Amino acid sequence: MPETFSVGLLGHGTVGSAFATLLDQRADSIVPITGLRPRISGVLTRSRGDFEEILAGSDLIVELIGGVEPARDYVLRAMRAGRHVVSANKLLLSQHGEELWACAREHDVQLRFEAAVAGVVPVIRVLQESLAAAHVERIHGIVNGTTNYILSEMARGGLSYADALGQAQQLGYAEADPTDDVTGRDAAAKMAILARLAFDTPVHLDQVRYEGIEQLTADDIAYAQQLGLGLKLIGTAERVDGGLSVRVHPAFLYGGHPLASVHGPFNAVTVESDAITEITMSGPGAGGPQTASAVLGDVISAMIPPATTPETTQRLEIVNDVESAFYLHMEVADRPGVLAQVAELLGMQGASIKSVVQQGLGDEARLVMVLHPLLESRFYAALRLIGRLDFMRSAPRAIRVIEEEFT
Ligand SMILES: NC(=O)c1ccc[n+]([C@@H]2O[C@H](COP(=O)([O-])OP(=O)(O)OC[C@H]3O[C@@H](n4cnc5c(N)ncnc54)[C@H](OP(=O)(O)O)[C@@H]3O)[C@@H](O)[C@H]2O)c1
């Protein structure tokens, strides 16, 4: 009979219950890989279980409670007691990662968290192991399935944001309270974790600038389609002038970018480096059974050889003003000189126009353009002046464009 490996389970909700079922189903097949037979030794929820008892009877703790407290307290106590920990908690790791990783190193235990970013897509493992020698220059990610589903439906069916959100909620792709998803905060937490690993420098959620998708209109998506662009909520982490920029915002992509074809609730992450050109990983970003599969993968890894998250060796400065290309949508009075005045204000800030679509609408006209990259501060300075021109019929709308295509 193989020895038993006892797993204490904190949280028995969507992921926790799927994990318990999966572990039960796979226990026999894990024996030949690890020489041990895993079993759930205890479950903690708000209404059942005692943490100290579960800890005493476990070789490893799986944390699937979510949120910061009491998850942080339990994870720290488990590691101080010499237990490996597996967690899917992006909020916890993006705000207290350094404290937790330091504790894991101090007590020589493993803290694994593959399911915290992009669900079952094995991006953490790839960054920590396979790409450990690649000097990563940039990561782009679609790391929130809810918003990707909403934007896909707005593009495919011309749905409004509100209708697409309602549809996502009906199908279980969005929570009843979707705030963290649609404001970009969930994606920002995941990008903080990815940036920490890829660039070997501490990154806190508070250092990630993020914008959500609530202001986007089906109109913007339809116009941009004419310019060959598709809209996504993109997380970016990249080296800029010796520092690091980490941000999340809606962005247009040209069809040749690997993330342009990622639709619906899927997640995908593109890693760029001179050594590897680019690698894209994609797959389901959430869901109980899918996430549970990533959690169980971490448990199996923890049952075999040690792997710790090393201390950071870099202290990169976080850069906030970066270069970006922009899509600009303006409703204007249809009269001569409009385009010239807009172009002049843009030109004063060093912006140049890459492509334009102009459409007459009786007394009014719609002017949609894509600009070549410039510093965001300079673009927004021009945008403020453009917004004050007397022929503007409503506030101009701007969305960033990612120009890379890799074709
Ligand atoms: N859902 C997904 O698709 C997904 C995907 C990737 C990552 N994740 C991450 O996985 C984690 C779990 O998510 P979930 O969707 O499974 O959450 P969930 O369905 O809300 O389940 C949370 C569980 O934690 C328990 N819990 C909450 N507060 C507790 C407390 N103070 N003490 C003890 N137990 C407590 C709840 O107990 P009760 O049963 O008593 O309420 C419930 O069993 C989160 O970190 C989440 O970000 C989820």
Side-chain angles (χ1 to χ4, degrees):
M1 280 287 282
E3 244 181 83
T4 298
F5 185 86
S6 300
V7 177
L9 177 57
L10 314 183
H12 200 256
T14 308
V15 183
S17 58
F19 171 76
T21 306
L22 190 66
L23 185 132
D24 202 38
Q25 288 168 351
R26 300 281 162 79
D28 285 341
S29 59
I30 293 170
V31 176
I33 306 170
T34 64
L36 301 167
R37 189 169 206 290
R39 70 169 184 103
I40 302 284
S41 52
V43 175
L44 181 78
T45 69
R46 274 178 282 223
S47 55
R48 67 167 156 143
D50 173 79
F51 177 71
E52 284 301 334
E53 241 173 61
I54 292 170
L55 183 60
S58 303
D59 298 302
L60 176 151
I61 293 290
V62 170
E63 184 276 306
L64 295 170
I65 292 175
V68 171
E69 293 294 356
R72 172 178 160 276
D73 179 51
Y74 289 149
V75 169
L76 286 170
R77 281 160 68 186
M79 292 193 294
R80 285 176 190 142
R83 306 299 191 279
H84 301 311
V85 171
V86 174
S87 171
N89 193 333
K90 59 238 157 190
L91 270 184
L92 178 61
L93 288 159
S94 63
Q95 294 176 83
H96 298 278
E98 296 312 320
E99 178 190 25
L100 298 173
W101 288 310
C103 181
R105 284 191 297 274
E106 189 187 335
H107 295 278
D108 201 19
V109 294
Q110 299 180 44
L111 171 59
R112 289 185 170 267
F113 47 95
E114 185 66 70
V117 181
V120 75
V121 185
V123 57
I124 301 289
R125 199 170 296 245
V126 167
L127 281 175
Q128 282 188 313
E129 296 173 18
S130 321
L131 298 184
H135 184 76
V136 175
E137 285 296 333
R138 185 193 287 132
I139 296 176
H140 277 140
I142 294 175
V143 289
N144 182 275
T146 304
T147 45
N148 203 51
Y149 176 83
I150 292 172
L151 294 178
S152 299
E153 287 305 294
M154 287 172 73
R156 196 173 64 90
L159 295 188
S160 68
Y161 165 72
D163 287 347
L165 171 60
Q167 191 170 303
Q169 284 169 323
Q170 260 177 15
L171 291 171
Y173 294 140
E175 311 251 337
D177 176 4
T179 312
D180 267 6
D181 293 321
V182 300
T183 58
R185 184 173 162 81
D186 173 87
K190 293 165 177 169
M191 290 310 298
I193 297 170
L194 289 185
R196 157 63 168 86
L197 297 180
F199 299 99
D200 192 23
T201 192
V203 182
H204 190 282
L205 173 58
D206 291 348
Q207 294 173 303
V208 184
R209 290 180 305 136
Y210 59 90
E211 292 168 26
I213 64 164
E214 299 132 296
Q215 312 302 331
L216 300 174
T217 67
D219 211 25
D220 285 321
I221 296 176
Y223 275 95
Q225 274 171 348
Q226 293 180 35
L227 298 168
L229 294 165
L231 190 58
K232 303 287 179 195
L233 184 69
I234 299 288
T236 302
E238 65 181 341
R239 294 182 195 275
V240 180
D241 301 334
L244 177 68
S245 165
V246 191
R247 54 193 196 271
V248 172
H249 49 63
F252 284 114
L253 300 171
Y254 287 99
H257 193 283
L259 299 185
S261 55
V262 178
H263 300 298
F266 268 52
N267 280 197
V269 175
T270 293
V271 182
E272 294 171 50
S273 131
D274 283 346
I276 58 167
T277 310
E278 69 86 16
I279 287 176
T280 299
M281 295 155 268
S282 73
Q290 293 86 344
T291 310
S293 159
V295 174
L296 185 55
D298 272 352
V299 171
I300 295 169
S301 297
M303 289 167 76
I304 322 170
T308 54
T309 303
E311 205 168 340
T312 51
T313 60
Q314 310 283 310
R315 283 286 182 279
L316 298 182
E317 188 195 332
I318 300 292
V319 179
N320 284 321
D321 197 13
V322 294
E323 286 211 337
S324 201
F326 279 92
Y327 156 99
L328 180 56
H329 182 130
M330 292 162 287
E331 309 278 336
V332 296
D334 195 2
R335 64 183 200 222
V338 165
L339 181 56
Q341 278 193 59
V342 169
E344 191 188 340
L345 289 178
L346 289 169
M348 281 163 57
Q349 292 296 340
S352 65
I353 298 170
K354 179 175 179 178
S355 50
V356 185
V357 176
Q358 192 167 3
Q359 187 186 41
L361 304 162
D363 289 346
E364 300 194 353
R366 191 166 285 149
L367 203 52
V368 176
M369 56 179 68
V370 173
L371 305 178
H372 287 294
L374 75 161
L375 269 184
E376 292 191 353
S377 56
R378 302 197 71 176
F379 171 75
Y380 284 109
L383 192 67
R384 276 192 294 279
L385 296 177
I386 290 169
R388 287 188 211 139
L389 292 169
D390 66 345
F391 52 72
M392 296 300 298
R393 291 291 171 258
S394 57
R397 298 202 297 269
I399 297 173
R400 293 166 185 83
V401 176
I402 290 169
E403 295 203 303
E404 289 80 18
E405 290 208 68
F406 304 108
T407 46

